[in-house]
Amino acid sequence: MQDEVTNVVDVCVIGAGPAGMKAAVRCSAAGASVTVIDEQARPGGQIYRAVQENGHPNGHILGPDYLRGAELVKAFNQAEVNHVSQATLWRIDEDNTVYWSQQGKAHKTIAKNIIIATGATERPFPFVGWTLPGVMTAGACQIMMKTSGLVPKQAVMVGTGPLLYLLAAQMIDAGSPPKAIVDTQQSDGYLKSLRFASNAWTGRKYLIKGLGLLAKLRKAGIKRYTGATDIEAEGTDSVQGLVFKCGGNKVSLEAETVLAHIGVVPNVQLTRAMGLDHQWDALQVCWKPTLDENNMSSRQGVFIAGDSGGIGGALVAELQGELVACQVLQSLQNELSRELINESLALKESIEHELAVRPFLDTLYAPPKQALSPSDKTIVCRCEEVTAGQIRQHAANGANGINQIKTYTRCGMGPCQGRYCGSTVAHIISDKIGLSMEQVGYYRLRNPIKPLKLGELASLTPVNKSFMEKYKSEGASHEQRAKTVQQ
């Protein structure tokens, strides 16, 4: 039980990645009271995971873009911020009451403004055998490298997207290059992306970086397959190989580790549970919160920064963190500040410039058809082991809503709460019966958004209002009567 104390802060930031750190530092510097709630032990988020103020022991392997996070972490650690680490946020109410658990006890605070900076999650890439031990995501492999320095040997990488090639280059520098890269990117992707050629020129620094990664892979002699389809992982107790079609031919590669990746999507679990408006982004092929020009959501005083509002990368996340901080400070002052307005305008220009290349990249590295509509025998829901064929059968029988499918198959009811199957289930329904993704919709998410123990929930009740108080009082009276009788 806890004492009945209402904690009110000016700003509550959810997430301590690049967006969250920048927002917190900016708000704190202006004198606002700031609480930052994050699941990790140290600030940095996924992109800057395990980086410290003095860098990282393997910084030469992870690269300068990763080491950039050291400056952010240093500024964050020096700021007047209440950093609540290793905490699990599980609910935010309409009155901006924020609930989280830490070390087995639940807590709550009321925030005048909320900044959500929960980042992105890797897009699910279901294929036959993806549940075998030894098959993991590229992001998980990168986490191992950052936190423990572990690098798999002779791994086969499959999928598409910039992260796949960045990770391959890092593995080369770590002395454990991948055995091969199996890219699902199709040749028509280049033709489709040409309509964004002018955008690509604006963001050419990213393209130059990508060409550098490709050159590094060629120099290292990494075998690269393109246009791969019909991907399957083989094995019994663990993965033993990867088979696929390339150029009309079937290719089989031996592998003890398979690293899969087809991009990232906004983490919308919290924003969905809060009931905020969302929209379907056909270019990025994902759901994202509906935001105004200042990154404010459909609820007044709730802002979203970074990849949780749309995929833009680490630098864009930093800029958006500063932008929403300016908007929060403006609301706290209750008056227009020319200085904050000018700062916001400059930040918006920088954000627009950095995002210019995104349409080109999103089109070029579109997720493969197999990932959106996998074969019938592919397990889609890992928690409940539901296959794509089962989902199609229910859709054909009239269950044309994703929440109906959830009821019939338990997809989305497991420990991941739909994080790894939601988008795939919706795509399968859309493809099977011809509905748009907007018509199919998304899972109806409820609080708590993360597992919560009853003891943690009970700890929210003030001591003087506990239902146990009555029985404690009765126990004390009974004990007093017993003493009187004995006397």
Side-chain angles (χ1 to χ4, degrees):
M1 306 298 174
Q2 66 177 211
D3 295 331
E4 190 172 10
V5 178
T6 301
N7 181 22
V8 180
V9 296
D10 292 327
V11 192
C12 183
V13 181
I14 314 301
M21 287 191 293
K22 273 288 188 178
V25 171
R26 181 67 181 86
C27 289
S28 174
S33 57
V34 182
T35 291
V36 179
I37 300 173
D38 189 52
E39 288 189 340
Q40 306 303 322
R42 293 182 294 192
Q46 299 297 349
I47 185 66
Y48 299 131
R49 180 188 284 263
V51 75
Q52 300 181 40
E53 294 184 14
N54 59 350
H56 190 281
N58 296 322
H60 61 290
I61 294 173
L62 299 171
D65 289 341
Y66 169 76
L67 291 177
R68 174 186 172 84
E71 297 179 9
L72 293 179
V73 169
K74 183 176 181 179
F76 180 80
N77 288 338
Q78 293 177 349
E80 292 294 327
V81 170
N82 176 27
H83 180 207
V84 184
S85 62
Q86 294 181 297
T88 300
L89 182 136
W90 45 269
R91 180 181 180 123
I92 296 181
D93 286 344
E94 291 186 8
D95 63 353
N96 282 2
T97 301
V98 182
Y99 299 86
W100 74 91
S101 295
Q102 184 186 44
Q103 297 178 351
K105 187 177 180 180
H107 305 266
K108 67 178 180 179
T109 188
I110 298 175
K112 297 177 183 177
N113 296 273
I114 292 175
I115 297 175
I116 297 174
T118 50
T121 60
E122 283 193 85
R123 185 191 298 275
F125 185 10
F127 51 85
V128 174
W130 76 312
T131 58
L132 285 170
V135 180
M136 59 192 298
T137 66
C141 176
Q142 202 174 52
I143 288 174
M144 285 199 315
M145 292 178 66
K146 293 173 180 177
T147 56
S148 61
L150 295 176
V151 188
K153 295 181 179 180
Q154 294 292 300
V156 172
M157 309 180 78
V158 60
T160 192
L163 177 61
L164 205 65
Y165 291 93
L166 172 62
L167 177 59
Q170 292 171 338
M171 292 172 69
I172 291 172
D173 289 338
S176 184
K179 184 175 183 178
I181 295 179
V182 181
D183 200 325
T184 60
Q185 185 186 45
Q186 302 298 310
S187 58
D188 62 352
Y190 291 96
L191 295 175
K192 292 177 181 178
S193 61
L194 282 179
R195 60 192 174 114
F196 301 111
S198 60
N199 301 64
W201 177 252
T202 302
R204 56 190 178 276
K205 67 177 182 179
Y206 294 102
L207 302 184
I208 293 172
K209 185 184 298 182
L211 292 173
L213 293 175
L214 289 174
K216 188 168 191 172
L217 297 180
R218 284 194 296 269
K219 184 178 180 180
I222 306 299
K223 181 66 176 178
R224 179 169 171 257
Y225 301 86
T226 58
T229 61
D230 300 326
I231 296 161
E232 294 187 12
E234 294 183 323
T236 51
D237 296 330
S238 63
V239 66
Q240 296 173 328
L242 188 77
V243 296
F244 56 94
K245 286 184 179 179
C246 182
N249 300 316
K250 185 176 180 179
V251 182
S252 179
L253 299 175
E254 292 184 1
E256 294 182 2
T257 302
V258 172
L259 305 177
H261 177 79
I262 53 170
V264 296
V265 295
N267 182 354
V268 297
Q269 296 295 109
L270 174 59
T271 53
R272 281 281 185 180
M274 291 173 66
L276 304 182
D277 291 344
H278 288 71
Q279 63 188 51
W280 175 252
D281 188 325
L283 197 58
Q284 293 195 341
V285 197
C286 64
W287 287 101
K288 65 181 184 182
T290 301
L291 306 176
D292 67 10
E293 62 178 3
N294 296 315
N295 276 51
M296 186 168 74
S297 71
S298 56
R299 184 185 298 179
Q300 185 71 27
V302 176
F303 299 85
I304 300 176
D307 284 349
S308 51
I311 305 304
L315 184 54
V316 170
E318 291 180 35
L319 295 169
Q320 289 181 345
E322 290 187 277
L323 174 63
V324 297
C326 289
Q327 306 310 309
V328 166
L329 294 174
Q330 194 84 265
S331 68
L332 291 173
Q333 292 179 4
N334 291 319
E335 61 180 17
L336 293 177
S337 166
R338 177 52 55 185
E339 181 181 348
L340 289 174
I341 291 174
N342 291 337
E343 185 179 351
S344 296
L345 291 173
L347 287 166
K348 289 177 184 178
E349 289 182 6
S350 298
I351 291 170
E352 184 179 359
H353 179 80
E354 292 296 329
L355 285 175
V357 75
R358 287 307 315 183
F360 179 85
L361 295 177
D362 294 333
T363 305
L364 185 62
Y365 296 114
K369 175 68 174 177
Q370 179 181 357
L372 304 181
S373 187
S375 63
D376 282 349
K377 61 181 180 179
T378 304
I379 292 177
V380 171
C381 176
R382 300 171 66 108
C383 299
E384 302 294 333
E385 297 188 342
V386 180
T387 65
Q390 291 173 287
I391 296 168
R392 287 192 179 93
Q393 186 60 52
H394 283 293
N397 292 337
N400 54 18
I402 190 170
N403 287 294
Q404 284 181 290
I405 295 292
K406 182 179 182 179
T407 301
Y408 292 144
T409 66
R410 291 187 57 82
C411 277
M413 292 187 182
C416 88
Q417 296 180 294
R419 289 172 177 83
Y420 296 108
C421 70
S423 61
T424 308
V425 173
H427 278 292
I428 292 173
I429 298 171
S430 174
D431 181 67
K432 180 63 179 178
I433 59 181
L435 292 177
S436 67
M437 290 296 286
E438 291 89 344
Q439 291 174 308
V440 173
Y442 195 73
Y443 288 140
R444 189 179 300 111
L445 299 179
R446 297 180 175 87
N447 294 311
I449 63 168
K450 291 288 183 72
L452 176 68
K453 296 179 180 178
L454 288 177
E456 293 173 348
L457 185 62
S459 69
L460 282 172
T461 305
V463 175
N464 62 342
K465 290 187 177 181
S466 169
F467 75 95
M468 291 295 295
E469 198 66 24
K470 169 186 176 182
Y471 300 100
K472 288 180 179 179
S473 300
E474 290 180 356
S477 299
H478 176 75
E479 184 179 349
Q480 184 62 38
R481 287 197 300 271
K483 288 182 178 180
T484 304
V485 172
Q486 290 175 358
Q487 291 175 355

